[in-house]
């Protein structure tokens, strides 16, 4: 099989997006239908999808990457793709499964060693699978691509600045690097991006509600990047109750919560901690809006489309991919400054929940997610086969 360098040397798959500037509005990214240029659609496609070592799929609560991986493999199987999921513990997907090991200690989430240990096992796990493409959703896994020698697709699920940016830039010369948004690609214009495939979800897992309760909701992880303090200030300025539910496991998250957020709780601001499953979707479906006042260049923001799938509009700051996900004045309000959030909260009643749901079904469904990745896989696999065929006989 061809290695990373041979596959990547054939060039990027999609052209880089046009630059729009940091404050300019962006339209949502689009994925072209799978076509004949993407490889022979009659050829069976065999893909190994590698999940992070932290959570079983699908996740019970927090786990944006894991949720996307779970919905992706199920939708790929429904499209007739032969999928093997590689992940920790057990799973509840329709794909074939190979266990990479036990679920990593959640207190170690974000640390390198659990991913390195899982990555070290990948060549052995892939040895007899005979797959055409590996889709790696971890950080450390792509580093062993030369050992397993299979064309590799890598999704940049996180930030692409600083050291992480240098990592992905270097990696893009050896693997097909996929972005979640045009905003993410613009932040690392020196990388050889292969495609942009926005995240997606199964709309039928999210209950749609037209009638909303009075509260706004903040849902995510406990980090200053997510703007929880701005959310509290905006809700209080607007006179709207706020329910906060967030992942708060890691030491830095606990310290930030105790220092900056806990003293502000009480009265009209309720803290639930981390929620998942039925409780999470009910919370999103009942809210008048999702508050998403991020203070970083978010590459996508899964919770925005989760809320919209429930018919719940989003009030957010114009950072990262927000303008690509939220259609201002239709599925939410996109604000330029934190001081504008309170006024936007008072106006969410002007938005139609049906428009929010329709946007997810049209642009961010699991079927659209799978179609986008199948397009990438087939191109990578086809170029890998051409590379092997062009080698001189030994």
């Amino acid at each position: 099989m061809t290695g990373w360098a041979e596959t990547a040397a054939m060039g990027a798959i999609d052209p880089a997006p046009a630059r729009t500037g940091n404050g300019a509005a962006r339209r949502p990214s689009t994925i072209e239908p799978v076509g004949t240029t993407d490889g022979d659609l009659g050829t069976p496609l065999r893909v190994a999808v590698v999940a992070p070592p932290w959570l079983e799929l699908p996740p019970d609560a927090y786990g944006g990457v894991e949720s996307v991986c779970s919905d992706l493999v199920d939708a790929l199987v429904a499209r007739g793709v032969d999928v093997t999921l590689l992940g920790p513990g057990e799973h509840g997907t329709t794909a074939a499964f190979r266990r990479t090991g036990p679920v990593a200690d959640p207190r170690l989430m974000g640390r390198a060693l659990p991913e390195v240990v899982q990555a070290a096992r990948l060549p052995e796990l892939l040895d007899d699978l005979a797959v055409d493409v590996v889709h790696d959703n971890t950080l450390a896994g792509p580093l062993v691509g030369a050992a397993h020698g299979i064309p590799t697709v890598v999704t940049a699920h996180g930030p692409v600045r600083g050291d992480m940016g240098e990592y992905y830039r270097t990696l893009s010369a050896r693997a097909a690097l996929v972005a979640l948004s045009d905003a993410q690609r613009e932040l690392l214009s020196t990388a050889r991006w292969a495609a942009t495939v926005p995240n997606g979800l199964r709309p039928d897992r999210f209950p749609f509600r037209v009638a909303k309760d009075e509260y706004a909701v903040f849902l995510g992880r406990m980090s200053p990047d997510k703007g929880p303090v701005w959310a509290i200030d905006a809700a209080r300025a607007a006179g709207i109750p706020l329910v906060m539910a967030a992942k708060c496991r890691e030491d830095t998250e606990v310290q930030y919560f105790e220092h900056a957020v806990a003293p502000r709780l009480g009265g009209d601001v309720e803290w639930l901690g981390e929620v998942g499953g039925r409780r999470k979707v009910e919370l999103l479906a009942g809210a008048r809006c999702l508050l998403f006042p991020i203070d970083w260049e978010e590459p996508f923001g899964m919770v925005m489309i989760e809320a919209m799938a429930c018919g719940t509009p989003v009030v957010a700051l114009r950072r990262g991919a927000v303008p690509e996900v939220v259609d201002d004045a239709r599925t939410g309000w996109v604000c330029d400054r934190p001081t504008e959030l309170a006024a936007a909260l008072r106006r969410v009643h002007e938005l139609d929940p049906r428009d929010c749901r329709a946007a997810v079904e049209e642009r961010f469904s699991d079927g659209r997610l799978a179609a986008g990745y199948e397009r990438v896989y087939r191109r990578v696999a086809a170029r890998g086969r051409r590379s092997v065929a062009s080698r001189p006989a030994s």
Side-chain angles (χ1 to χ4, degrees), residues 210-228:
V210 172
K212 302 296 182 180
D213 296 327
E214 288 300 310
Y215 67 90
V217 63
F218 173 92
L219 186 64
R221 57 183 169 83
M222 189 48 58
S223 166
D225 292 342
K226 295 293 188 178

Side-chain angles (χ1 to χ4, degrees), residues 18-185:
R19 290 184 172 274
T20 57
N22 290 335
R26 298 185 185 92
R27 295 299 301 165
S29 299
T30 57
I31 295 297
E32 300 171 12
V34 176
T36 55
T37 58
D38 301 312
D40 183 1
L41 295 183
T43 302
L45 180 64
R46 301 162 299 179
V47 180
V49 176
V50 183
W54 314 109
L55 302 167
E56 293 182 340
L57 271 62
D60 291 329
Y62 177 85
V65 176
E66 290 81 5
S67 293
V68 171
C69 288
S70 179
D71 287 346
L72 172 61
V73 299
D74 284 343
L76 287 169
V77 170
R79 291 175 65 87
V81 178
D82 183 348
V83 183
T84 301
L85 172 65
L86 280 69
E90 303 301 329
H91 78 117
T93 76
T94 56
F97 183 69
R98 288 210 170 178
R99 186 172 182 264
T100 58
V103 174
D105 187 333
R107 294 171 297 181
L108 301 178
M109 186 173 285
R111 298 185 186 180
L113 188 58
E115 287 209 9
V116 170
V117 171
Q118 177 175 285
R121 296 197 62 207
L122 283 182
E124 175 188 355
L125 292 166
L126 292 167
D127 187 51
D128 62 346
L129 278 183
V131 296
D132 303 300
V133 177
V134 172
H135 178 188
D136 205 312
N137 294 275
T138 73
L139 274 176
L143 295 176
V144 302
H148 62 61
I150 306 170
T152 301
V153 173
V154 177
T155 300
H157 287 287
V160 293
R161 282 184 163 175
D163 289 342
M164 286 298 297
E166 181 60 19
Y167 171 75
Y168 282 123
R169 185 197 65 77
T170 304
L171 191 65
S172 71
R174 308 195 301 273
L177 183 64
V178 175
L180 305 179
S181 62
D182 291 344
Q184 187 183 38
R185 287 175 72 147

Side-chain angles (χ1 to χ4, degrees), residues 6-19:
E6 294 165 307
T7 302
M10 300 168 204
I13 293 173
D14 286 348
R19 290 184 172 274

Side-chain angles (χ1 to χ4, degrees), residues 231-240 242 263-269 342 345-346:
I232 293 171
D233 291 347
R236 284 192 167 139
I240 292 171
L242 178 66
R264 295 171 178 261
L265 300 177
D268 51 358
V269 179
L345 280 172
R346 299 188 190 101

